[in-house]
Amino acid sequence: MRRIQAGSALSAFGLGFTVPYLYVYVAQVRDLGATTAGVVLAVFAMAALVVLPFSGRAIDRRGPVPVLLAASAVAAVGAVGMGLASSVPAAVGAAALLGAGTAVLQPALATMIVWCSEPSGRTRAFALQFFLQNLGLGVGGLIGGQLVDVSRPNSFLLLFSIEAAMFLVLAAVVGTVRTAGSAAFQEARPAGGKGGGVRALLSHKAMVQLCVLGFVLFFACYGQFESGLAAYGTEAAGIAPSTLGIALAANTAVIVLAQFLVLKFVERRKRTRVIAAVGLIWAVAWIIAGYAGLGHGSQAMATAAFVSTYALFGLGEAMLSPTVAPLVADLAPESMVGSYNSAFALVKQLALAVGPAVGGPMGASMHGPYIVTFVLFSLLVTVLAVRLGKQLTPVQNQPSLAAKPSLVVAQGRPEKETVAL
């Protein structure tokens, strides 16, 4: 498990080197224009939508290890290709490979974590993964910012080469885990692999509700960070572009600092109640963002409110990481863990594609309706979470119940005596 988490963190570290600078690299450094940069980003997202429907079945049939090895290799080739791309076809082709490879990594890693952990330990395992990935992205972005030079294309080739190397490191680590003969990997292979598929997943009411909830979660938060909310901040609140970086840093800092403090709180409560609380926190965050754009206070107050919005989003993200991903795993039948993880990753990717398309124009020009819309979406998270709770078993909703000792055993009384009482 430690090696899987380390490989996951290093791959996020590699992504952090390039993700913040991809648009600038294509549009300005390679001088391919803003339109081409937009196409490259769209292809990056669309490639994920294309491969995710097939990756889950492949994980269930072949196991997560070979799928992750292949995805790491594809992503590495895409990263190097992007660093060398000097024409539109080369940039688009590299983006397709990079997007397809990175999209498959998360469900494969999630399935490996499930196979290597007991249900009682998955909450902490997924929380640790989220923490390390955010830390890796943040550190990678900071170091990449020191290395990058818009006037030197070779500096970007260095960044993309580091990213490719991190994908290969992930593959090497995963290969080592498999070679080590982990009992969890040997014994947790799904029995068969037949009788599943999309129809079985869609007939699982709780999973369908979780996917709908997941779409709203990602649409209302992650899908707005670098599009609608950024446009709203600069246009309505007068936030300087440099402040966006500070806001994102505040978001990451809250996640890193609060993750394990929040974990203790989450483990003792029902998952759906935690998710419902996140909806309320995010509604408050959007209201604070609305205040930042009213223009009645000072610019310093507006800036502080805007940064606070990102910080509150980070608190909600820290609460979600130990709840949503483990819940997907606990809902999945043994032979469909990969399919369930890939389906949820597909829902996330759809939300990340639709979110900027809807939020970007609204955030830039329809300031009041934009804030009201996403306050309502945040409250919808709370409603959907409460509804989902009715579809879950007590242990699925609160895994700590399974670990609680029986009152009979704890008090040392025979079971019949207790029943008679």
Side-chain angles (χ1 to χ4, degrees):
M1 178 65 77
R2 291 178 181 176
R3 295 180 184 182
I4 295 170
Q5 297 284 27
S8 176
L10 288 173
S11 66
F13 175 69
L15 281 169
F17 272 86
T18 63
V19 169
Y21 315 109
L22 187 57
Y23 180 91
V24 173
Y25 170 71
V26 176
Q28 299 178 16
V29 177
R30 290 300 182 181
D31 198 25
L32 298 178
T35 301
T36 300
V39 170
V40 166
L41 292 174
V43 169
F44 185 87
M46 291 302 297
L49 296 179
V50 171
V51 299
L52 282 172
F54 305 99
S55 63
R57 198 65 173 157
I59 291 171
D60 289 332
R61 288 180 173 177
R62 303 293 183 183
V65 175
V67 173
L68 191 143
L69 292 176
S72 298
V74 170
V77 171
V80 173
M82 186 63 71
L84 296 171
S86 58
S87 65
V88 174
V92 170
L97 292 175
L98 187 57
T102 54
V104 178
L105 293 180
Q106 186 54 41
L109 284 168
T111 303
M112 292 174 67
I113 290 174
V114 171
W115 286 12
C116 281
S117 63
E118 297 294 330
S120 59
R122 285 175 191 160
T123 296
R124 288 186 171 268
F126 279 103
L128 178 61
Q129 184 197 33
F130 185 74
F131 167 81
L132 291 175
Q133 285 183 335
N134 275 275
L135 185 62
L137 283 169
V139 174
L142 287 174
I143 297 177
Q146 302 304 310
L147 298 176
V148 71
D149 185 347
V150 176
S151 64
R152 293 190 303 111
N154 284 340
S155 67
F156 284 86
L157 177 58
L158 174 62
L159 297 189
F160 284 108
S161 297
I162 293 173
E163 180 183 38
M166 291 300 101
F167 289 134
L168 296 179
V169 168
L170 171 62
V173 170
V174 170
T176 302
V177 171
R178 189 184 185 191
T179 303
S182 169
F185 271 87
Q186 293 175 354
E187 297 174 5
R189 279 300 298 245
K194 300 179 181 179
V198 176
R199 183 176 299 179
L201 193 151
L202 292 177
S203 66
H204 192 165
K205 189 173 182 180
M207 182 59 186
V208 171
Q209 288 192 14
L210 180 58
C211 285
V212 173
L213 172 59
F215 180 88
V216 177
L217 280 168
F218 296 122
F219 177 76
C221 177
Y222 299 93
Q224 304 306 314
F225 270 5
E226 297 176 5
S227 58
L229 190 54
Y232 172 84
T234 55
E235 296 291 338
I239 300 300
S242 59
T243 304
L244 296 177
I246 297 174
L248 285 170
N251 174 267
T252 302
V254 169
I255 292 172
V256 171
L257 295 174
Q259 183 64 83
F260 294 103
L261 295 175
V262 167
L263 182 59
K264 295 180 180 180
F265 169 83
V266 168
E267 285 182 319
R268 297 192 298 267
R269 286 162 178 82
K270 293 182 179 180
R271 286 167 167 169
T272 51
R273 289 186 180 177
V274 172
I275 299 171
V278 170
L280 297 177
I281 291 172
W282 284 357
V284 172
W286 282 109
I287 292 171
I288 293 175
Y291 167 79
L294 289 176
H296 297 313
S298 66
Q299 187 58 50
M301 290 293 293
T303 299
F306 192 75
V307 172
S308 298
T309 297
Y310 276 79
L312 285 173
F313 276 127
L315 177 60
E317 292 174 74
M319 294 170 66
L320 287 177
S321 62
T323 54
V324 176
L327 181 54
V328 174
D330 289 349
L331 288 177
E334 187 181 5
S335 62
M336 292 185 66
V337 175
S339 295
Y340 273 55
N341 281 319
S342 293
F344 198 76
L346 177 61
V347 167
K348 178 179 180 179
Q349 196 64 39
L350 283 170
L352 294 181
V354 175
V358 174
M362 288 186 69
S365 59
M366 304 171 64
H367 304 148
Y370 177 69
I371 294 298
V372 172
T373 296
F374 284 94
V375 167
L376 293 177
F377 267 101
S378 298
L379 295 176
L380 181 59
V381 167
T382 300
V383 174
L384 291 174
V386 172
R387 288 174 59 88
L388 176 62
K390 299 176 182 179
Q391 299 295 325
L392 304 177
T393 66
V395 173
Q396 285 174 339
N397 208 1
Q398 189 175 351
S400 61
L401 294 177
K404 289 183 178 180
S406 167
L407 181 64
V408 175
V409 175
Q411 294 183 351
R413 296 190 309 224
E415 186 174 354
K416 289 184 179 179
E417 180 182 338
T418 305
V419 173
L421 292 174

